[in-house]
Amino acid sequence: MNGMMAQETLHSLTQTWLEWDKDPVTVAEIKQLQGAGAEDELERRLRHRIEFGTAGLRGRMGAGFSCMNALTVIQASQGLAKHIQTRRSEVASKGVVIGHDARHNSRRFAELAANAFIALRIPVWFFAEPSPTPTVPFGINHFKAAGGVMITASHNPPQDNGYKVYSSNGAQINRPEDGEIAQSIRENLEPWPTAWQELQSSEHLHDDAYQQLLSPYQARVKEYALSTVSGLGTLIPFVYTPLHGVGGLVLPELCRSLGVESFVSVPLQTEPDPDFPTVQFPNPEEAGALDLATQSADQNGRTLIIANDPDADRFAAAEKVNGEWFLFTGNHVGVLLASHILDSLDPKDVNKETVLTTTVSSGMIEKMAKSRGVQFKETLTGFKWMGNVARDLEAVGRHVPFAYEEALGYMFPSVCYDKDGITAAAVFLAATAKWKAQGMTAYAKLQQLFTQFGHHETLNNYFRSPSPALTTELFKGIRSGSFLANMKLGPMRILRWRDLTEGYDSSSPDNKPDLPDDPTSQMLTLWLDGGVRFTIRGSGTEPKVKFYIECCGSSRDDAVKAVCDTFLAILDQWVKRFTPSMTHSHQLLTSSGHVLNLK
C-alpha cells in the first residue's frame, strides 16, 4: 500500500483513516490535526505505513498509519490470519497463541488481534492476563499451534508498543515468511465486519489458555534449571527487580517453588506499571536502570542482583565486588551460562551438541565449546535466526542446549525457541549455587574463564543517526574508500573483511560469506591485527548505527587498549570523515569498567 499511498492526496488519506478507525482517541487525534491545518504532521502520520519488519511491528503509539494503534494492529492481524489460512492451511485449525504484556493498550491490542483470527474460524489460545514474552513461544509448542502473537515493546519507552509474530515452530518468523505476511497485510487493510467488536466468547476462543499454560511453563523451567546441577544447594541471597514488568508476576513464585526464599524484590518496581515511573529507560542495560536495586541490595546486605526487562525476555545480573557494584554485560552472562551448561552435558553426547551465538556477540563461547568437543555455530543477529537455526539443527539430529546474544538475550531450546529471561534467571541462580559450593562467586568464575580462555574485553555502543539516508551515506563512504583495497584501518592491518549487505567475505576462496547475505540491512565485520574483531551495523528498529568491538588479550590492559584504539579508528577514519553530523556519547564504558572520554 505504501506505493499507492504515495500517490494519494493527503485529504484522501485522512478520509480513509477516519472511515476505518473506530477508536475515539485516535479519531480525535486526526480530527484535531485536520482542524488545525497541521499538514506536515498529517503527512508524517498517514503517508507511510508502519513497517512490518523484524518479527513484526514496533513503534510509538498514536494515530496514523505510521504508528502503533488499534487500526494498524487490526490490519496486521487480518494479514497474518489470512496468511495462515491460505499459506499454512494444514496447521490453521491448531490455532494461534496470543499474549500481551502490561503496557498501555496491550490488552486491547491483543483482543483486537484475536478478532481477526476468530473471523476466519482460526482458534485463539488467548492469554487473559499479562504474561512474559517467552510464554508465547512455549505456548505454541505446548498447544501445537500454527503460530503466535505477543503484544509487547519489550524494553522500549512507555509511549511504544509492538506486535511480535511467531511461526508454527515456536521461533520468530523469518524470511521469506515475513515478506509473505507483509504482502498479506497490504491485501487486507480494510477492517473486516467484526474487527472492532468486543472480544466475545465463542467455540474458537480459549480465554483460559494462560491458566492452562503457566503451571506447565514454570514446571518446565524448574525441571530444566535443576537438570543443570546435581543439587540446588544454598543460593547467595539476592535482590530481584522486574523493572515494573511482568517478570514479577512469575519469577518470585518460581523461586519459591524451587525452595528459594533468600531474595528481596525491589518494592517500587515489583508490580507492573506501564509508565515505568522509577527509570528513565526500562532496560537493565541502561545506566541508572538498576539504581533502586543496588540501593535495596545495600540496605538488605545483599551482594547479588538479578533483573528482567519489562516483558521478561531479557535477563541481567550485577554483583558487589570489592565494595563496588559490577554490572555483568550480556557477553559476561552469556559465557557464564554457557560454561555452566557445558559442564552439565553428558560427555557421551557432546558430539551431538551445538551452541549458538550471533555475529555481534563474544567469540569466547566458540573457544569454550571447542575445548569440550561441542560444535559452535554463528548466526546473523537476532533470535529469529538463532531460533530457526536451532530448529534446523534438530531436524538433522543435533541438539542445541543454549544460544545467546550480547543484548542480554539467552535461549534454552529445551524450554522455548526465543530469548527467555525467566529461564535465564533460574539457570543463573542454579549456577551461582554450584559456584558457591566451589568457593566462587559469579564474578570469580568469570575471572577464572578469562584466565583459561583469554581476557575478552568488549566495547559495544552506538552512533545516533538522524535518518536512514545518513546511515546509508556512512556505509557507502566506507565501501567506496580504500580500506578494503589496502586492507588497512588507520594504522591497523585488516585480516578479514566480511560484508553481509553485499555478500562478500575476503577470507573465503569464492569471496562468499559463511552466513546469509541481507541486502536490506547494513552490516560489516572486520578482523584486525592483535585479536580484534568488530561489527558495525545499522539498527533495524532504532535511529542508530551500532558497533561491537571485542579483543582477546593476554591481559585486561592489553585488551582494553586494543578495543579503545579500534573505536578511535572507527570514529576518525569512518564516522567523522563520511558523516560528521552523526552524534555519539562523549563517554564510553568498556565491559570491565574502563572509561573512554572523547571530549
Side-chain angles (χ1 to χ4, degrees):
M1 182 183 173
N2 273 344
M4 296 171 58
M5 292 169 73
Q7 301 170 23
E8 287 191 60
T9 65
L10 181 58
H11 175 76
S12 174
L13 289 169
T14 305
Q15 291 308 114
T16 299
W17 178 271
L18 294 175
E19 177 187 345
W20 287 352
D21 187 18
K22 305 302 179 188
D23 184 325
V25 174
T26 45
V27 166
E29 273 188 60
I30 295 300
K31 285 186 174 179
Q32 189 274 328
L33 292 170
Q34 186 183 39
E39 293 192 357
D40 288 348
E41 183 63 14
L42 285 170
E43 281 281 348
R44 189 185 70 79
R45 301 275 194 114
L46 298 172
R47 180 64 63 186
H48 299 288
R49 284 194 53 75
I50 184 171
E51 184 178 353
F52 188 88
T54 305
L57 309 171
R58 189 183 296 186
R60 188 61 50 96
M61 287 183 283
F65 295 117
S66 66
C67 302
M68 280 295 301
N69 50 63
L71 178 56
T72 53
V73 165
I74 286 170
Q75 293 173 327
S77 303
Q78 291 178 172
L80 178 58
K82 200 70 174 177
H83 169 81
I84 290 175
Q85 182 192 58
T86 57
R87 295 290 192 99
R88 311 298 299 278
S89 57
E90 73 283 1
V91 293
S93 63
K94 302 289 187 180
V96 295
V97 178
I98 299 181
H100 63 91
D101 64 13
R103 284 177 175 268
H104 292 297
N105 294 318
S106 284
R107 166 70 188 239
R108 177 63 174 148
F109 289 170
E111 292 175 344
L112 293 172
N115 280 340
F117 296 95
I118 292 170
L120 298 184
R121 307 179 67 82
I122 297 172
V124 173
W125 302 95
F126 187 77
F127 291 3
E129 299 85 8
S131 58
T133 289
T135 58
V136 169
F138 176 86
I140 292 168
N141 293 324
H142 180 80
F143 294 121
K144 298 179 172 56
V149 172
M150 179 68 188
I151 305 296
T152 181
S154 191
H155 56 275
N156 278 37
Q159 301 86 358
D160 291 5
N161 216 322
Y163 186 100
K164 190 174 186 180
V165 183
Y166 295 88
S167 196
S168 58
N169 64 358
Q172 294 179 39
I173 56 166
N174 204 348
R175 60 190 192 199
E177 190 174 19
D178 55 357
E180 295 167 356
I181 294 169
Q183 178 60 32
S184 183
I185 292 171
R186 290 190 289 270
E187 294 168 356
N188 292 277
L189 293 174
E190 185 172 355
W192 297 340
T194 59
W196 288 99
Q197 71 180 20
E198 295 296 317
L199 188 60
Q200 300 173 2
S201 297
S202 78
E203 61 180 306
H204 299 294
L205 177 65
H206 305 284
D207 58 4
D208 62 344
Y210 191 58
Q211 292 95 322
Q212 293 185 48
L213 185 84
L214 184 57
S215 289
Y217 171 73
Q218 290 180 310
R220 184 69 194 111
V221 174
K222 178 180 175 180
E223 177 188 19
Y224 178 71
L226 292 176
S227 75
T228 65
V229 289
S230 56
L232 191 56
T234 304
L235 268 68
I236 297 172
F238 62 94
V239 163
Y240 170 62
T241 176
L243 291 183
H244 299 294
V246 295
L249 305 176
V250 176
L251 188 64
E253 180 183 343
L254 176 63
C255 288
R256 294 185 190 103
S257 75
L258 287 163
V260 176
E261 301 284 351
S262 56
F263 67 92
V264 174
S265 294
V266 177
L268 293 177
Q269 297 176 336
T270 299
E271 296 298 320
D273 187 330
D275 292 316
F276 312 118
T278 67
V279 291
Q280 187 172 2
F281 295 103
N283 179 355
E285 284 185 300
E286 294 284 347
L290 298 184
D291 282 356
L292 280 183
T294 58
Q295 292 173 23
S296 181
D298 288 340
Q299 291 165 3
N300 289 276
R302 307 298 166 96
T303 59
L304 180 65
I305 293 168
I306 66 172
N308 290 126
D309 68 340
D311 70 326
D313 67 347
R314 286 173 170 82
F315 167 76
E319 183 182 317
K320 201 162 194 179
V321 180
N322 298 325
E324 300 289 336
W325 282 101
F326 178 84
L327 177 63
F328 294 99
T329 68
N331 281 318
H332 291 156
V333 175
V335 298
L336 284 168
L337 289 172
S339 170
H340 174 66
I341 290 167
L342 289 169
D343 284 344
S344 72
L345 297 177
D346 188 331
K348 300 191 301 294
D349 297 329
V350 292
N351 62 329
K352 298 178 182 177
E353 306 283 353
T354 303
V355 293
L356 308 175
T357 191
T358 67
T359 58
V360 299
S361 303
S362 176
M364 187 169 169
I365 189 176
E366 180 177 9
K367 299 176 183 178
M368 295 165 58
K370 288 182 176 178
S371 74
R372 302 297 187 91
V374 171
Q375 185 185 67
F376 166 82
K377 189 172 180 63
E378 186 181 54
T379 76
L380 293 179
T381 55
F383 283 83
K384 69 176 184 178
W385 290 102
M386 285 192 286
N388 284 289
V389 168
R391 281 299 207 180
D392 292 343
L393 288 167
E394 289 174 349
V396 295
R398 300 201 63 81
H399 177 247
V400 178
F402 179 62
Y404 95 92
E405 188 164 70
E406 56 78 36
L408 303 180
Y410 313 97
M411 182 177 82
F412 309 86
S414 294
V415 179
C416 73
Y417 292 86
D418 196 13
K419 54 184 177 291
D420 182 348
I422 301 296
T423 303
V427 174
F428 187 81
L429 291 172
T432 59
K434 181 185 73 176
W435 298 328
K436 181 181 179 183
Q438 297 169 350
M440 287 186 293
T441 65
Y443 179 82
K445 179 63 180 178
L446 181 64
Q447 304 315 305
Q448 183 190 75
L449 293 172
F450 284 156
T451 299
Q452 185 176 358
F453 297 103
H455 191 104
H456 287 67
E457 187 72 26
T458 59
L459 179 59
N460 300 341
N461 212 288
Y462 60 87
F463 303 105
R464 189 165 293 281
S465 176
S467 71
L470 192 65
T471 298
T472 301
E473 183 181 333
L474 171 64
F475 283 89
K476 181 180 178 182
I478 294 169
R479 292 188 179 101
S480 62
S482 61
F483 311 101
L484 177 57
N486 298 337
M487 293 301 274
K488 294 269 288 187
L489 177 63
M492 296 176 286
R493 190 161 63 97
I494 299 170
L495 305 180
R496 178 182 174 190
W497 176 293
R498 185 175 68 191
D499 185 341
L500 291 179
T501 306
E502 299 199 341
Y504 174 82
D505 190 335
S506 66
S507 71
S508 63
D510 59 357
N511 290 144
K512 298 295 183 184
D514 51 359
L515 292 171
D517 61 280
D518 185 0
T520 66
S521 66
Q522 299 283 357
M523 180 181 286
L524 293 169
T525 301
L526 277 66
W527 286 257
L528 308 177
D529 262 340
V532 174
R533 181 186 72 162
F534 76 88
T535 293
I536 183 168
R537 71 181 184 94
S539 173
T541 57
E542 301 169 288
K544 297 176 179 177
V545 171
K546 297 183 175 181
F547 61 85
Y548 312 80
I549 307 169
E550 181 177 43
C551 177
C552 176
S554 57
S555 71
R556 171 186 172 275
D557 289 345
D558 288 346
V560 166
K561 184 179 185 306
V563 297
C564 292
D565 288 348
T566 302
F567 171 76
L568 292 172
I570 295 169
L571 181 64
D572 292 335
Q573 298 291 312
W574 289 357
V575 177
K576 289 182 177 179
R577 180 181 298 186
F578 301 119
T579 52
S581 61
M582 199 172 278
T583 60
H584 59 83
S585 300
H586 289 299
Q587 190 179 82
L588 301 180
L589 196 66
T590 68
S591 58
S592 63
H594 178 85
V595 177
L596 180 61
N597 286 301
L598 302 170
K599 291 182 180 178

